[in-house]
Amino acid sequence: MELRSILVVAILLSLQICESMKNKTLTIGAIFPMSGSWAGGKACLPAVEMAQEDVNARQDILPEYKLDMKYNDSKCMGGLGTKVLYQLLYEPPTKILVLTGCSIVSTFVAQAAKMWNLVVLGYGSSSPALSNRERFPTFFRTHPSATLHNPTRVKVFQKFGWTRIATIQQTEEVFSSTVKDLEARVKAAGISIDVRQSFLTDPTNAVRTLKRGDARIIVGVFYEDMARRVFCQVYKEGLYGKKYVWFIIGWYPDNWYKQVDPSINCTAEQMEEALEGHFTTEAVILHQEPTITEVGLTAKNFTERLNKRLNVTDTSQVTGYPEAPLAYDAVWAMAFALNKTASRLAEKGMKLEDFDYYNKKITNEIYSAMNTTKFLGVSGNVAFSSQGDRIAWTQIEQMINGTYYKLGYYDSMADNLTWFDREKWIGGKSPPDRTKVIDHLRVVSKMLYFAMCALAAVGIIVGSVCLAFNYTNRHRRCVALSQPSINSLTVIGCMLCLFCIFLLGLDGKFVSAQSYPVICQVEAWLLSVGFTLGYGSMFSKIWTVHQLTTSRKKDRKSVKSWELYIVVTILLLLDISVLVAWQILDPLQRKLDRFSLEAPTDTEEDIQLRPMLEHCNSDNLTVWLGVLFGYKGILLIFGIFLAYETRSVKLKQVNDSRFVGMAIYNVVVLCVITAPISLIIGNQENATFAFVALAIVLCSFLSMGLIFAPKMIEIVRNPQRNGQEVRSLTDSLVSREEEERHQRLLVENEQLKKQIAEMEDRVRELNIRLQEKTQQRAQLTQGQSQVTGRITVDTGEVEVEANEIGADREVGESSHLLGKAFAEDGIITVDANSDSGLASGSFAKSSKTSASDSEPFC
């Protein structure tokens, strides 16, 4: 007890001695934000007062001086802070240094203070703009610059492989400068900022724009009150969760989002949900080791004293509490610098109390001393760069289940990241920096492809059967008189087109990108040549039929096969010339068309599909297609015209001309429908393939069926009856309309025959009576009168010349009946050896074609 009493007495005596020795006062001007957007003065002012007391208690620091402080509230407003500065300057005593808080106030104060030769020290100013020595030549700060966070952020981005970020900032200079510095650093690191947003007071539109821009890794810089507004809107827009990572400033209190704020309508639970998993970066502002610092305290001692002075149970409710160590060390930095300045001034015969607002020499000494000040404070190692910025480590924290956990530290000077691997992700893994876009090649459905290939294979088999039938029965009149060699060309053309179906469905699932151009060329050749052989051979036959029916050479009875081959050859040479020119001058290549992104339906991963469709293309594709479609279209139109013109013609030289015409009808209709529609629906791979394949299958089956089915049926019905083969097949080919017309003509012919027989009897009777009357008159006139009679029946006219009036009348009646009979349908031929003057069996039906040409075969 006695020893304890002695120690207490000794301490009291030492304090009295120190106070008696420090008989000079150095006044410091201080500006604290006790309210406003950042009311950091609530915690920083008590810390500064603690530091002032501790400095004054130290005999080795400013032994002749004690520090005094005059301060006022700036409300974190630049204009008000400038007003407070002027009040401090114009009210005695002279202030040797100025202490400032938030960045906006420090900006105004530091620019004005140089005019009074004042050194300004900031404890809560992080604006990168304050590092500009031209604008702020006498400014220092114990609070690290906001740019100190940027190297840390870049390091974290690189750690997780993020190369695309977005930013959102409050429109304050401190944050604008921070983002500008971040842009330069991420650009140097190969990271892009795809979305940049800023706001003044309402972040609604800015947050919505981030969402529309597919922002995933978002850096937000704003004051605490605006942070609450931002994350309330983030919650409403759903811009949080396993797809998103937010980086914000770390100097907010731990429960900053729980503060009652009438400007938002989100609950604390909603805010916590939106903030889950976000990262913060802040300077290490509390010494991490339990050792005693150069200011005589451990970090723990400082925290205990400050908490006792604040007298609150929850320090997180006190704004500026994280910055309190910085404010405490700011006073000690000031004290160390002034102590060093006093020694230097003493060597020059000057004292600190000689300072006034016009004495630049003392200001330069204070500046030099501040620039070289280094010590271990409660916030860690305190030192200043050439720009007056605090050199410090940065710590990274993450909110996990509503609590901040330290993830690591970063030393920007040594470029060393210390990571604890404590991070936790909502989805179990770090999210990508953007929606992962996977190229998805659209291919023809396998089921559809194999179904069409099966039909094509059946068609090729049918074509082979037709070729075999054509060769086996080539000597049968039904086949021989249908130009079997030309029919074989038709089948070969159909088979080539059918084989092309196998190639049309070949895409990325079967062939490589390097092989695709070859497939394109083969497709073009097969389809074009196959069409020319298939349709061109039918066209040559219908052309020949038309030539036969319109030729002036009526005695032409046969068709030369080489004439048909010439037509097909001309068309084939035209095709080959165009295809060769196309392949040499502008060959087909593989082209990929990309479509808008689509969300997959079979996964919850943060991915989207970019549909791609490959197709054959060349630089002048429209020109080449125009040439091919042009002359083939003309060929189709001409073919259907000829088919229509010869629709009722039946020739034994081309006995299946009518079925060829029907096949041409079908081909033309299907081609006219398929060609434009396939161009319109070209972006729908399944529809295009199915439409084109079905058109080819229908054209091929109909063409082969119409040409070969009747022949097969006839040969099956009449396998050996060669004598009756032609007539029976011809009869089977006569249409119902022609049969009815034929029966009608037969009935009319019978009626006319009866009328002619009656007229013959009447004429015979008239001739007899005429002879009798002539003899009687001859007897009466004794030969003076001569009767001359002549009955002329020619081309439907009967002329009777006589001198007797009665005979003229009766012969005129007969002539009238005969003329009527001829007019209806027939010719009456006069025979001199007949009693009536008419040839027996003289009635004949007129026709365009001879009897030999009017009997078709197939």
Side-chain angles (χ1 to χ4, degrees):
M1 290 293 295
E2 293 181 359
L3 181 59
R4 192 178 210 177
S5 301
I6 293 172
L7 290 174
V8 172
V9 171
I11 292 172
L12 292 175
L13 288 173
S14 63
L15 290 174
Q16 290 178 359
I17 293 171
C18 289
E19 290 179 0
S20 61
M21 293 180 65
K22 294 189 175 188
N23 52 8
K24 299 177 183 179
T25 302
L26 296 176
T27 305
I28 301 170
I31 303 174
F32 293 97
M34 305 305 295
S35 57
S37 59
W38 181 68
K42 293 180 178 179
C44 291
L45 177 57
V48 168
E49 292 174 342
M50 284 172 52
Q52 179 185 343
E53 295 173 359
D54 294 343
V55 168
N56 289 335
R58 286 278 296 268
Q59 185 61 38
D60 57 331
I61 303 298
L62 296 174
E64 298 181 3
Y65 303 95
K66 67 176 180 179
L67 297 179
D68 190 18
M69 181 176 63
K70 303 294 183 181
Y71 68 90
N72 210 334
D73 180 15
S74 67
K75 298 183 180 179
C76 204
M77 299 171 60
L80 183 57
T82 305
K83 179 182 178 181
V84 171
L85 173 65
Y86 290 150
Q87 290 175 350
L88 293 173
L89 292 177
Y90 288 107
E91 293 178 359
T94 301
K95 282 69 177 183
I96 195 170
L97 285 167
V98 176
L99 204 62
T100 62
C102 54
S103 296
I104 186 65
V105 174
S106 297
T107 300
F108 284 91
V109 170
Q111 287 187 105
K114 65 182 179 180
M115 306 303 296
W116 280 268
N117 294 315
L118 280 170
V119 174
V120 180
L121 186 58
Y123 58 84
S125 307
S126 61
S127 173
L130 293 168
S131 300
N132 189 338
R133 270 288 178 245
E134 293 182 0
R135 291 180 60 190
F136 315 103
T138 61
F139 182 77
F140 294 88
R141 51 183 164 184
T142 55
H143 194 298
S145 170
T147 57
L148 185 68
H149 301 254
N150 291 335
T152 308
R153 291 167 178 153
V154 172
K155 199 69 177 179
V156 176
F157 297 158
Q158 292 174 333
K159 174 177 175 57
F160 293 106
W162 296 324
T163 59
R164 175 181 179 267
I165 66 170
T167 61
I168 179 172
Q169 66 173 81
Q170 185 180 352
T171 51
E172 296 283 355
E173 185 178 23
V174 54
F175 305 123
S176 300
S177 302
T178 302
V179 172
K180 184 177 180 180
D181 178 78
L182 178 63
E183 290 176 353
R185 293 181 184 274
V186 296
K187 183 178 181 181
I191 300 172
S192 64
I193 301 179
D194 287 2
V195 186
R196 299 172 176 84
Q197 287 298 304
S198 61
F199 64 93
L200 185 60
T201 56
D202 186 5
T204 302
N205 291 331
V207 173
R208 289 174 179 171
T209 304
L210 289 176
K211 185 175 183 179
R212 287 194 297 267
D214 193 34
R216 299 304 176 91
I217 313 302
I218 309 169
V219 178
V221 284
F222 23 70
Y223 283 121
E224 177 186 335
D225 57 337
M226 290 300 166
R228 286 189 285 269
R229 299 185 187 183
V230 168
F231 280 95
C232 182
Q233 189 63 36
V234 165
Y235 175 81
K236 295 176 182 178
E237 297 295 333
L239 201 65
Y240 65 94
K242 66 179 181 180
K243 295 181 180 181
Y244 305 94
V245 179
W246 281 84
F247 284 79
I248 62 174
I249 298 170
W251 40 258
Y252 306 150
D254 286 351
N255 64 343
W256 61 272
Y257 59 92
K258 296 181 180 179
Q259 300 288 337
V260 178
D261 191 340
S263 64
I264 64 173
N265 55 359
C266 295
T267 63
E269 290 75 17
Q270 292 171 340
M271 295 286 286
E272 183 176 331
E273 181 180 348
L275 286 164
E276 180 64 25
H278 79 275
F279 285 73
T280 65
T281 55
E282 61 176 318
V284 178
I285 52 180
L286 195 62
H287 186 49
Q288 302 300 309
E289 301 295 331
T291 57
I292 298 177
T293 63
E294 294 182 36
V295 297
L297 294 176
T298 64
K300 183 178 180 181
N301 296 147
F302 167 77
T303 303
E304 291 174 351
R305 286 181 60 191
L306 180 61
N307 293 345
K308 185 177 180 180
R309 199 176 192 101
L310 292 173
N311 195 24
V312 293
T313 55
D314 186 4
T315 55
S316 62
Q317 300 289 337
V318 182
T319 306
Y321 185 83
E323 289 75 24
L326 302 177
Y328 182 86
D329 282 345
V331 176
W332 277 100
M334 192 180 299
F336 283 123
L338 289 175
N339 189 61
K340 189 180 298 184
T341 302
S343 301
R344 292 178 180 177
L345 289 177
E347 295 175 358
K348 298 179 181 181
M350 292 186 291
K351 299 179 180 179
L352 286 174
E353 59 266 26
D354 295 335
F355 173 79
D356 57 35
Y357 301 135
Y358 307 100
N359 195 331
K360 195 171 183 179
K361 293 181 180 180
I362 297 178
T363 301
N364 291 338
E365 291 294 336
I366 296 174
Y367 176 87
S368 178
M370 187 69 73
N371 208 26
T372 57
T373 297
K374 293 182 179 179
F375 66 96
L376 179 61
V378 294
S379 63
N381 288 310
V382 179
F384 303 101
S385 68
S386 58
Q387 288 81 27
D389 294 334
R390 168 77 179 272
I391 300 173
W393 283 23
T394 310
Q395 69 179 15
I396 305 102
E397 295 182 329
Q398 184 186 27
M399 177 178 279
I400 302 174
N401 297 325
T403 304
Y404 286 102
Y405 292 90
K406 287 183 177 62
L407 302 182
Y409 296 96
Y410 179 65
D411 182 3
S412 58
M413 299 298 294
D415 190 25
N416 179 43
L417 177 64
T418 302
W419 199 257
F420 304 145
D421 292 325
R422 297 175 182 170
E423 71 275 11
K424 289 187 179 181
W425 306 103
I426 297 176
K429 62 179 180 179
S430 62
D433 56 8
R434 69 197 77 193
T435 300
K436 186 177 181 181
V437 178
I438 299 176
D439 290 336
H440 173 64
L441 184 64
R442 287 181 175 177
V443 294
V444 177
S445 168
K446 287 186 178 181
M447 183 178 296
L448 175 63
Y449 175 71
F450 289 123
M452 292 296 105
C453 288
L455 288 177
V458 172
I460 293 174
I461 294 173
V462 171
S464 302
V465 171
C466 291
L467 289 176
F469 169 83
N470 209 32
Y471 179 79
T472 304
N473 299 280
R474 63 188 181 279
H475 300 301
R476 298 289 295 268
R477 296 186 66 185
C478 177
V479 176
L481 294 178
S482 66
Q483 302 300 324
S485 58
I486 298 299
N487 290 341
S488 296
L489 288 181
T490 301
V491 175
I492 292 172
C494 292
M495 293 173 69
L496 289 177
C497 292
L498 289 169
F499 184 76
C500 189
I501 293 177
F502 292 91
L503 302 180
L504 287 173
L506 289 180
D507 43 35
K509 68 177 180 292
F510 294 118
V511 297
S512 63
Q514 292 75 21
S515 304
Y516 196 80
V518 178
I519 300 297
C520 292
Q521 299 289 353
V522 176
E523 282 179 11
W525 278 86
L526 284 179
L527 195 57
S528 184
V529 173
F531 176 84
T532 298
L533 290 176
Y535 179 79
S537 57
M538 294 190 295
F539 177 83
S540 66
K541 292 174 71 174
I542 208 69
W543 168 269
T544 302
V545 172
H546 186 268
Q547 290 293 100
L548 286 174
T549 56
T550 58
S551 176
R552 294 183 179 181
K553 297 180 179 180
K554 299 298 184 180
D555 58 343
R556 182 174 179 180
K557 301 300 182 182
S558 62
V559 176
K560 304 297 183 183
S561 297
W562 62 266
E563 295 177 345
L564 302 175
Y565 284 125
I566 286 177
V567 176
V568 178
T569 302
I570 292 173
L571 297 177
L572 195 58
L573 288 176
L574 183 61
D575 246 10
I576 292 174
S577 61
V578 173
L579 290 171
V580 169
W582 188 359
Q583 187 166 354
I584 294 175
L585 300 177
D586 188 18
L588 288 168
Q589 300 293 333
R590 178 177 182 262
K591 180 184 178 182
L592 285 176
D593 284 339
R594 290 175 170 82
F595 304 94
S596 57
L597 298 179
E598 298 176 353
T601 57
D602 57 349
T603 181
E604 294 183 358
E605 294 292 328
D606 184 21
I607 61 175
Q608 283 192 319
L609 303 179
R610 180 190 287 117
M612 298 189 304
L613 182 63
E614 59 181 352
H615 59 86
C616 303
N617 189 52
S618 60
D619 295 335
N620 300 296
L621 180 64
T622 54
V623 175
W624 298 110
L625 289 180
V627 173
L628 283 175
F629 288 175
Y631 79 80
K632 290 185 185 294
I634 294 173
L635 196 65
L636 289 171
I637 295 173
F638 196 28
I640 199 170
F641 168 75
L642 296 177
Y644 179 79
E645 285 291 306
T646 59
R647 65 191 182 280
S648 300
V649 175
K650 297 187 290 290
L651 299 177
K652 70 177 182 180
Q653 295 92 335
V654 186
N655 62 7
D656 59 352
S657 61
R658 297 186 63 204
F659 289 106
V660 171
M662 294 173 63
I664 288 177
Y665 289 151
N666 292 314
V667 172
V668 171
V669 170
L670 288 171
C671 288
V672 169
I673 294 174
T674 303
I677 292 181
S678 63
L679 294 176
I680 294 173
I681 63 174
N683 292 335
Q684 303 177 33
E685 65 283 357
N686 287 326
T688 303
F689 174 72
F691 202 78
V692 174
L694 285 175
I696 293 174
V697 169
L698 287 175
C699 285
S700 302
F701 274 84
L702 288 173
S703 298
M704 292 187 294
L706 287 170
I707 292 174
F708 286 94
K711 300 178 180 64
M712 293 180 178
I713 294 172
E714 175 59 25
I715 289 179
V716 169
R717 288 178 177 176
N718 304 285
Q720 300 297 333
R721 294 163 60 190
N722 295 331
Q724 300 181 7
E725 178 184 342
V726 172
R727 181 161 299 280
S728 62
L729 182 58
T730 302
D731 293 343
S732 65
L733 297 177
V734 177
S735 66
R736 180 179 299 177
E737 180 183 354
E738 291 178 343
E739 182 68 25
E740 292 176 354
R741 181 185 176 191
H742 178 68
Q743 294 297 332
R744 186 170 62 252
L745 290 175
L746 289 177
V747 173
E748 292 177 356
N749 194 30
E750 292 297 328
Q751 293 176 352
L752 289 173
K753 284 182 179 179
K754 291 180 180 180
Q755 292 178 5
I756 291 172
E758 292 175 356
M759 286 188 290
E760 286 180 347
D761 293 341
R762 183 64 175 166
V763 170
R764 188 179 296 109
E765 180 182 353
L766 289 174
N767 284 334
I768 294 172
R769 292 175 60 186
L770 181 60
Q771 290 177 1
E772 291 176 354
K773 289 183 179 182
T774 302
Q775 292 176 0
Q776 292 176 1
R777 179 164 295 193
Q779 293 175 359
L780 293 175
T781 60
Q782 298 178 357
Q784 296 180 356
S785 301
Q786 295 180 355
V787 179
T788 303
R790 182 167 59 89
I791 301 174
T792 303
V793 180
D794 187 11
T795 66
E797 179 181 359
V798 178
E799 180 179 356
V800 179
E801 294 182 358
N803 292 325
E804 287 293 325
I805 299 173
D808 290 344
R809 183 182 297 114
E810 293 189 7
V811 171
E813 291 176 356
S814 300
S815 176
H816 174 72
L817 290 173
L818 290 173
K820 181 179 179 182
F822 173 76
E824 288 184 358
D825 198 355
I827 299 174
I828 301 177
T829 304
V830 178
D831 188 353
N833 297 321
S834 173
D835 292 337
S836 64
L838 298 176
S840 62
S842 60
F843 182 79
K845 184 78 175 169
S846 65
S847 174
K848 288 184 179 180
T849 59
S850 63
S852 62
D853 292 342
S854 63
E855 288 194 13
F857 286 78
C858 285

